[in-house]
Amino acid sequence: MADAMPAAPGPLPVGPVGRRGLGQWGVGALIASEAALFAYLLFAYFYAAASARPGWLLEPAPKLWPALPNTLLLLSSSLVAWIGEKGVERGRRAEALTGLIGAFVMGAGFAAVQVYEWSIKPYRLGTSSYAALYFTTTGFHMAHVVAGLVILAMLALWVALDFFSPRRRIVVSAGVLYWHFVDAVWLLVFATYYLTPYLGFAR
Amino acid sequence: MTPAALRVPAIDDDTPELRARLHAIWATTPGWKGWFTTVDHKEIGIRYIVTAFVLLALGGVEALAIRLQLAGPDLRLMTPEQFNIFFSMHGMTMIFLYSSPVLSGFSNYLWPLLLGARDMAFPRLNAFSYWVYLAAALFLYTGFLTGNGPNDGWFNYVPYAERQYNPGLNQDFYALGMVLLGISTAVGAANFVVTAFKMRAPGMSIDRLPILIWGTLTASVANLVVVPAVSLAFFLLWLDRQFGTSFFRPAGGGQPLLWQHLFWLFGHPWVYAIVLPAMGMVSDGLPVFCRRPLVGYSLVALSTVATMILGFGVWVHHMFATGLPGLSLSFFSGASIVITVPSAVAVFAWLATIWTGRPVRSTAFLFFAAMILLFVIGGVSGFMTASVPVDWQLTDTYFVVAHLHYVLIGINVFPVVGATYFWFPKLTGRMMDERLGRWNFWTMFLGFNLGFLPMHLIGLFGMPRRVWTYPAEMGWSALNMITTIGSFAFAIGVLLFFVNVAKSWRAGALAPADPWGGSTLEWALPSPPAPYNFAVIPTIASRHPLWEEALDENTPRSTITRGMMLDTGKETVTTTPLDAIPDRIVEMPCDSWAPLLLAVALGILFVALLLKLWLAIALGALLVLGALILWLWPQRRLLEREPAHG
Amino acid sequence: MSAPPLGYLTSAGERAAAIVPLTWFVLAVSVIVGMVVAVLLLAAIVHPRGRALPTAIVAGDDHGLAWIKWGLVLSALPLIVTLVWTMAALGRVAGPPRSPALVLDVTPRQYWWEVRYDARDPADRFVTANEIHIATGARVLVRLHGGDVIHSFWVPQLSGKTDAIPGQTNLTWLAADVPGRYRGQCAEFCGLEHAKMAFEVVAEPPAAFERWRRAQLQTAPPPSSDAAQRGARVFQSHCASCHAVRGARAAGSTAPDLTHLMSRRLIAAGTLPNTRGSLAGWVRAPQTSKPGALMPDQQLTGQQLGDMLAYLVTLK
């Protein structure tokens, strides 16, 4: 009979360290589920577009101003948020706050421009199925932007309160990861609603 | 005091002193406060199971009302309006509020015990998931009790569900209730997935998982990505109804078929999600009563995963009659026929286990063995509907109703009742009455088959689903009467089960730790287990930690009585996803109000949305936000400054 | 016992006939598989080799794998046959006929069936409801239009189901070999009276069908008797906003066309026999025999009802 030996690991990290820990898995699962949600929203668009009659597309050539610069603004906010995360990692509070608050301001700017864009659309939620899809998809994304902004604000507050250290910072990493997700999803939404018409889809 | 960055976990024997220390750390606060704030997976698991059984009883009463109305031709016990609400409530209750939550309950209770863990990965999320499930059930039943139950069947096709044809609040209750329930399912699924990959005892590599883990894990991965489809569909329906959008309304360019795609993209994987864990129960429970390991472990595990992967590709077989192009029909027909293969693997594995083992005819065994037959009957009738031209006749007749009842009762209710007989001693510390168990089994088994086997014939004779009555000259009267009698016999069987549970819980014989001679870790624990489950973290060396002596002389042995103590706080250990090598000591959360608070806030928000009370919606949203921030507020103990920062 | 009117284990036309043998085959396979498993289970359980718990553990992991191997090999055969047969049958029944003898536009509505007979010459087109006549041996193309909610067109003896979905037009077809009346039924849940939304397909020899068709093209004759004339006025004031009678001024289109009401065997979408008594009952209190039907109770006096019936029976 072989000997019974309990697992006797050497030194183990206690709790989350850096970006690693159970929370990372949790945020991963959340993002997987949310990504699926957006996949279905985009599926709904493509399904409706593929089986639609001509004229369904209310904007055969969507205006890229201000949507394109706004997209670039949101994408670069991801970079700024990453700088904030690095700041926490290096223990530099000023850098961390600059990054997080900077990302917050850029995200809020994106949201403001998006609201402005909604307001100048010639159609409304109830106009047609295209309009409903456009406003709902961008609306769902807006809800995620707002959630992301709350997260960035809370992170900045907690950094200001000096809650984190280079080692204990999984909350920051998870929050910033979520912000990256919000930005990445926008790229898909943007490509679907603003770019595929130029490729001739559903025109 | 802040914890050290690294620590070598101390190793020692399981001693009474250690148990006393752990008990003080892990026990839920006694009294009502603990009742509302507990995060113990065992508490939550039992709550899930009890709630699901209550809903099973409600759904059952609805079914009996339906069966009375259909017992003979041209009966007028119910109006069509009542009938439509009753059959929709019945389907919705059984499919969404009973069959999945009951499995979540068992998995919640059993997973950490099977895995050698002290709790699930996210205990507070676990509590939250239960509270939201309860809230959704209350929400949906409030609709029913105020005369606003769903009335368009459980799959709720548009445009009939649109406001133009369905002006009451019925569909708004259903739509919002389903979105709420979806939150519970999705976070529960996330918890299972992370638990499966991170919370296993050292040495429990991926090829040593009990099949129940495979079943629930597969179901959870699927739920994580398909539940958003149905939540979205219901949300869009609500927008159509309340804000004049036209996602599904053809008048505004919407597509009624988009609903069906979104619904069945979710719906078919969901069907597997509510049977795979139950199949896992049989795969784990049956071998114990056959006194041998399951035949073909790897094949069965693989077939579980394969079923789900194929299951993503067959949703269109619910839509064969919607006028799809021929190529699409051929593809989905073929996929639906092929999906029988992995199911066949499981069936042959179980049969082989019984034939090459020494079956012990306990009540649990009878339920598990009966499940094999019912599974096969439900499987072959499903295989018949996979053939498109045949399905054009079968679909939307009582043949499909018979099929889905063999699937849901055969592969969900029977294993669940068997699992209750099997694990009841572990859950409650008491044995269930075996004599009453025999009566329970035979009444359920004979009643069920008396009721539902003839129903196939009713379908072949052309009775459509969801008709509130039928004329005498259709030739269905006698068979319907038999079905009604059978359903009542079956209901008596279920009642006997509830009686046995109640009676045994109060005064059953005291259960030893391992009444059945089981092979998995939970049987190494006292019945019921202590709040911390394992006093020392076990180390696993095989698939059958408790049968190693009996099975083989020469393999390494698992150790259950000596291991990491982790008794300096509410701690446990996480391991690597595949090989289960310890990689981190983690601090588990204590009792918390946050889950209940968040669930209540969500409940307020959804009631406000239903009634479109804007002020209350804003208030609900703020409450949700506040509860979330409270939940996520970094715990000083865990997260903040190291000593260097003061 | 006579065959159930909606049964589909027998057939009366080429489209349904192509499916019946396949249905019997998969049914037989299913019954055999179920019985084999039942016998295997019973045999293993009735004579258990073990007794009370706990007994020794009997075998290692590898025993019994042959069951799975042989089980799969044996199941492969019926699966492959079914797959091939399915594709073959699908090829025969799926596509609508290229040159149909008759083209119908069917629009199901809550809870009745509008049937338009298409023809190249507009003068040959007409509309009827709830009773479809076809010639035996003719392949009939049915274009299904969505009227309100989703319904499903199903005549088990002649053809499987096809849904009628708002916003799209689905094609199906049917054919009957033998003269007779074949019951059809809505097969997709559509609301309160989904149950009572039936129709009939009447297959007749070509000559009889042609006679029927010519009769349907006629407009209704003006009422001759006093009672019928009064009845026509009652009809005009109470019924004409929904029902049409060609030849009279009634031109409603949200309820069945009644120009040839008396030529139909059943009324209220297959719910009641078309007798004077049940017609009277139906007009007087539609919600009694078909609760939930969209036809409102018109509160007619006895006199009005009698006159109306005198008028209705002239619509032959």
Side-chain angles (χ1 to χ4, degrees):
Chain A
M1 166 182 156
D3 281 341
M5 285 290 292
L12 292 179
V14 181
V17 172
R19 57 167 63 235
R20 303 196 173 280
L22 275 182
Q24 188 188 22
W25 283 78
V27 172
L30 173 72
I31 287 177
S33 204
E34 300 247 56
L37 177 67
F38 279 96
Y40 297 120
L41 272 168
L42 298 184
F43 166 81
Y45 173 85
F46 286 114
Y47 181 82
S51 46
R53 301 203 173 83
W56 177 77
L57 214 53
L58 295 181
E59 283 184 281
K63 288 191 200 66
L64 293 179
W65 175 265
L68 183 61
N70 206 28
T71 302
L72 297 175
L73 175 70
L74 188 66
L75 290 181
S76 35
S77 81
S78 242
L79 194 73
V80 175
W82 177 78
I83 292 172
E85 187 191 351
K86 280 285 157 197
V88 177
E89 187 181 333
R90 297 192 187 115
R92 296 180 194 154
R93 192 136 57 118
E95 193 180 314
L97 281 176
T98 312
L100 292 171
I101 294 173
F104 177 89
V105 170
M106 293 166 82
F110 169 86
V113 172
Q114 180 66 43
V115 169
Y116 165 73
E117 222 191 318
W118 284 346
S119 70
I120 57 167
K121 289 285 178 201
Y123 45 85
R124 286 283 154 257
L125 186 64
T127 305
S128 74
S129 68
Y130 172 85
L133 280 163
Y134 169 78
F135 281 110
T136 307
T137 309
T138 51
F140 263 76
H141 184 263
M142 179 59 81
H144 285 73
V145 170
V146 170
L149 289 176
V150 171
I151 291 172
L152 288 173
M154 292 310 296
L155 290 181
L157 172 70
W158 290 334
V159 167
L161 291 173
D162 200 16
F163 270 23
F164 304 114
S165 68
R167 187 167 71 84
R168 294 285 191 223
R169 60 178 169 86
I170 188 167
V171 176
V172 181
S173 300
V176 170
L177 181 62
Y178 188 78
W179 186 250
H180 293 329
F181 163 71
V182 170
D183 300 349
V185 161
W186 175 253
L187 203 53
L188 295 176
V189 173
F190 175 76
T192 301
Y193 281 87
Y194 289 84
L195 300 185
T196 58
Y198 288 102
L199 301 175
F201 189 73
R203 269 169 118 172
Chain B
M1 196 186 94
T2 44
L6 293 171
R7 197 168 86 219
V8 179
I11 301 216
D12 208 338
D13 289 326
D14 178 353
T15 59
E17 295 74 36
L18 173 62
R19 284 184 171 267
R21 278 202 302 284
L22 286 170
H23 199 280
I25 296 170
W26 283 80
T28 297
T29 322
W32 61 271
K33 190 174 165 220
W35 201 86
F36 285 115
T37 58
T38 184
V39 294
D40 183 339
H41 71 97
K42 298 183 285 298
E43 274 291 320
I44 296 164
I46 289 176
R47 280 176 200 181
Y48 254 112
I49 297 171
V50 169
T51 312
F53 278 150
V54 169
L55 284 152
L56 174 70
L58 289 174
V61 171
E62 287 148 18
L64 294 179
I66 295 170
R67 280 320 314 171
L68 280 178
Q69 165 63 22
L70 293 176
D74 289 319
L75 293 183
R76 299 255 170 151
L77 305 174
M78 295 166 117
T79 65
E81 204 169 1
Q82 289 164 338
F83 184 86
N84 292 351
I85 290 183
F86 265 71
F87 85 72
S88 306
M89 276 309 280
H90 167 70
M92 187 271 295
T93 303
M94 293 310 199
I95 290 168
F96 294 121
L97 297 178
Y98 157 73
S99 54
S100 170
V102 79
L103 298 175
S104 294
F106 273 97
S107 290
N108 249 315
Y109 190 95
L110 292 170
W111 265 43
L113 308 184
L114 290 167
L115 294 174
R118 282 178 174 169
D119 207 324
M120 301 279 287
F122 303 115
R124 287 181 298 178
L125 209 53
N126 212 11
F128 171 66
S129 160
Y130 171 76
W131 291 122
V132 175
Y133 159 50
L134 184 65
L138 290 173
F139 186 89
L140 289 162
Y141 265 84
T142 303
F144 178 60
L145 292 176
T146 55
N148 293 302
N151 57 5
D152 186 14
W154 71 281
F155 45 75
N156 214 48
Y157 279 180
V158 290
Y160 184 58
E162 293 281 358
R163 202 169 181 178
Q164 184 186 353
Y165 304 103
N166 216 320
L169 272 182
N170 310 55
Q171 290 299 327
D172 303 299
F173 265 107
Y174 193 25
L176 291 172
M178 285 299 294
V179 175
L180 189 58
L181 184 66
I183 296 173
S184 162
T185 314
V187 297
N191 206 355
F192 282 123
V193 172
V194 180
T195 302
F197 285 119
K198 291 306 291 177
M199 303 303 285
R200 310 198 303 267
M204 186 175 283
S205 50
I206 202 103
D207 56 341
R208 290 175 184 161
L209 296 177
I211 302 286
L212 173 59
I213 307 285
W214 280 109
T216 312
L217 172 60
T218 309
S220 300
V221 171
N223 278 344
L224 203 57
V225 293
V226 300
V227 166
V230 77
S231 301
L232 177 65
F234 273 105
F235 186 76
L236 299 184
L237 172 63
W238 183 68
L239 289 183
D240 266 13
R241 291 177 56 81
Q242 298 296 334
F243 298 92
T245 57
S246 26
F247 290 103
F248 308 122
R249 293 187 303 141
Q255 294 277 356
L257 274 188
L258 175 61
W259 169 272
Q260 299 192 17
H261 279 293
L262 285 175
F263 191 91
W264 291 117
L265 262 168
F266 150 84
H268 203 82
W270 177 263
V271 173
Y272 290 111
I274 58 186
V275 298
L276 288 175
M279 289 163 68
M281 289 170 164
V282 175
S283 293
D284 290 343
L286 191 69
V288 172
F289 296 103
C290 294
R291 312 308 300 150
R292 58 147 301 150
L294 177 68
V295 170
Y297 167 91
S298 313
L299 286 173
V300 174
L302 207 66
S303 75
T304 306
V305 179
T307 301
M308 189 51 87
I309 291 173
L310 288 170
F312 284 120
V314 298
W315 82 91
V316 166
H317 76 206
H318 298 269
M319 302 166 59
F320 279 159
T322 58
L324 295 164
L327 187 66
S328 162
L329 292 178
S330 309
F331 172 82
F332 285 101
S333 183
S336 306
I337 291 175
V338 169
I339 203 168
T340 54
V341 172
S343 304
V345 168
V347 167
F348 292 121
W350 296 325
L351 282 175
T353 306
I354 299 181
W355 269 83
T356 59
R358 287 184 193 160
V360 179
R361 285 178 293 178
S362 66
T363 305
F365 172 80
L366 291 176
F367 275 101
F368 293 151
M371 173 273 195
I372 303 175
L373 180 62
L374 304 181
F375 180 29
V376 168
I377 296 175
V380 291
S381 56
F383 145 82
M384 287 176 66
T385 61
S387 174
V388 181
V390 179
D391 184 66
W392 281 337
Q393 293 284 17
L394 297 175
T395 186
D396 276 313
T397 68
Y398 262 81
F399 187 88
V400 174
V401 180
H403 158 69
L404 73 92
H405 281 86
Y406 268 85
V407 170
L408 291 178
I409 294 180
I411 327 182
N412 184 296
V413 177
F414 272 76
V416 162
V417 173
T420 308
Y421 277 91
F422 183 49
W423 278 299
F424 191 81
K426 189 54 60 190
L427 268 74
T428 65
R430 293 182 185 275
M431 305 294 292
M432 279 181 76
D433 186 333
E434 280 286 309
R435 221 175 92 86
L436 189 50
R438 298 306 149 105
W439 281 97
N440 172 195
F441 171 76
W442 287 109
T443 329
M444 268 178 74
F445 182 74
L446 296 175
F448 174 67
N449 285 295
L450 177 66
F452 289 86
L453 213 47
M455 195 187 270
H456 291 101
L457 215 51
I458 302 179
L460 293 171
F461 287 174
M463 177 155 160
R465 289 173 89 164
R466 301 172 169 184
V467 292
W468 71 280
T469 188
Y470 51 90
E473 59 272 21
M474 291 294 120
W476 310 321
S477 311
L479 288 167
N480 267 305
M481 179 55 85
I482 297 173
T483 289
T484 298
I485 294 171
S487 334
F488 274 84
F490 178 63
I492 292 171
V494 177
L495 190 65
L496 287 178
F497 168 65
F498 289 144
V499 167
N500 199 352
V501 166
K503 183 171 150 282
S504 309
W505 207 334
R506 228 184 36 240
L510 288 179
D514 184 10
W516 315 115
S519 70
T520 37
L521 281 176
E522 76 275 29
W523 303 112
L525 302 175
S527 304
Y532 46 83
N533 299 348
F534 294 89
V536 294
I537 305 295
T539 304
I540 307 306
S542 75
R543 264 173 221 158
H544 310 284
L546 271 54
W547 280 3
E548 286 161 2
E549 289 295 331
L551 286 175
D552 195 342
E553 302 282 303
N554 299 314
T555 51
R557 295 284 190 260
S558 303
T559 12
I560 296 162
T561 53
R562 187 176 168 79
M564 290 176 260
M565 296 190 294
L566 298 172
D567 59 342
T568 56
K570 201 172 177 184
E571 290 174 336
T572 188
V573 68
T574 64
T575 52
T576 55
L578 295 181
D579 300 324
I581 297 162
D583 66 355
R584 189 179 308 278
I585 294 169
V586 290
E587 179 93 8
M588 303 303 279
C590 301
D591 293 357
S592 166
W593 285 99
L596 179 61
L597 222 61
L598 183 54
V600 170
L602 273 174
I604 292 172
L605 177 61
F606 273 75
V607 171
L609 286 172
L610 177 81
L611 303 173
K612 292 216 273 186
L613 302 170
W614 295 105
L615 207 64
I617 292 174
L619 181 74
L622 279 177
L623 276 173
V624 168
L625 187 69
L628 269 172
I629 291 176
L630 174 75
W631 185 321
L632 294 171
W633 198 270
Q635 289 172 288
R636 298 207 148 248
R637 214 155 24 100
L638 253 185
L639 272 169
E640 78 281 32
R641 294 153 290 186
E642 289 174 293
H645 294 257
Chain C
M1 183 174 113
S2 62
L6 287 174
Y8 43 87
L9 291 174
T10 56
S11 66
E14 61 171 317
R15 189 170 193 228
I19 298 170
V20 169
L22 176 57
T23 307
W24 278 104
F25 171 74
V26 288
L27 188 59
V29 168
S30 299
V31 171
I32 291 169
V33 170
M35 293 202 328
V36 167
V37 171
V39 168
L40 285 175
L41 269 174
L42 265 179
I45 295 168
V46 169
H47 295 292
R49 276 146 288 174
R51 286 198 190 87
L53 280 163
T55 48
I57 315 297
V58 288
D61 268 347
D62 296 338
H63 295 259
L65 277 178
W67 276 77
I68 300 181
K69 193 172 75 186
W70 285 106
L72 286 183
V73 170
L74 286 176
S75 359
L77 187 68
L79 284 186
I80 291 168
V81 172
T82 307
L83 197 58
V84 173
W85 196 340
T86 292
M87 297 308 157
L90 194 56
R92 284 175 62 195
V93 303
R98 292 243 172 78
S99 46
L102 181 62
V103 179
L104 304 178
D105 286 287
V106 173
T107 310
R109 295 214 167 84
Q110 281 177 326
Y111 308 100
W112 62 283
W113 306 79
E114 181 195 282
V115 183
R116 292 178 178 274
Y117 279 69
D118 194 23
R120 198 156 295 151
D121 179 358
D124 277 347
R125 296 178 192 160
F126 62 91
V127 58
T128 178
N130 298 335
E131 190 173 295
I132 297 172
H133 285 244
I134 62 174
T136 48
R139 291 180 169 180
V140 181
L141 174 67
V142 179
R143 292 191 290 240
L144 287 166
H145 305 274
D148 37 40
V149 303
I150 297 180
H151 304 272
S152 195
F153 178 87
W154 183 39
V155 194
Q157 291 281 303
L158 305 180
S159 140
K161 304 176 186 78
T162 306
D163 294 349
I165 300 173
Q168 68 184 67
T169 301
N170 281 343
L171 301 183
T172 185
W173 64 281
L174 45 85
D177 298 334
V178 196
R181 285 181 174 268
Y182 304 105
R183 194 172 171 90
Q185 165 76 36
C186 176
E188 185 66 79
F189 179 71
C190 59
L192 291 177
E193 273 306 354
H194 169 55
K196 299 192 176 183
M197 185 170 165
F199 62 101
E200 279 191 324
V201 174
V202 183
E204 340 175 80
F209 170 70
E210 190 51 29
R211 275 197 302 280
W212 176 84
R213 194 182 69 81
R214 282 173 195 282
Q216 292 290 315
L217 284 167
Q218 305 298 314
T219 54
S224 49
S225 74
D226 285 354
Q229 280 170 0
R230 285 194 305 272
R233 284 193 294 274
V234 177
F235 186 91
Q236 189 59 37
S237 58
H238 287 81
C239 313
S241 62
C242 300
H243 289 284
V245 172
R246 280 175 279 134
R249 282 183 299 139
S253 60
T254 52
D257 181 298
L258 299 178
T259 312
H260 299 282
L261 172 66
M262 298 319 287
S263 73
R264 300 177 200 150
R265 191 175 76 96
L266 302 169
I267 55 171
T271 306
L272 299 167
N274 193 359
T275 60
R276 198 185 157 91
S278 59
L279 197 54
W282 170 240
V283 173
R284 183 202 294 274
Q287 298 300 321
T288 305
S289 44
K290 195 170 170 182
L294 298 186
M295 174 153 148
D297 192 337
Q298 295 291 350
Q299 316 282 345
L300 298 180
T301 63
Q303 170 72 39
Q304 285 175 315
L305 183 65
D307 293 344
M308 168 101 84
L309 285 175
Y311 172 60
L312 288 180
V313 294
T314 67
L315 303 174
K316 297 216 165 71

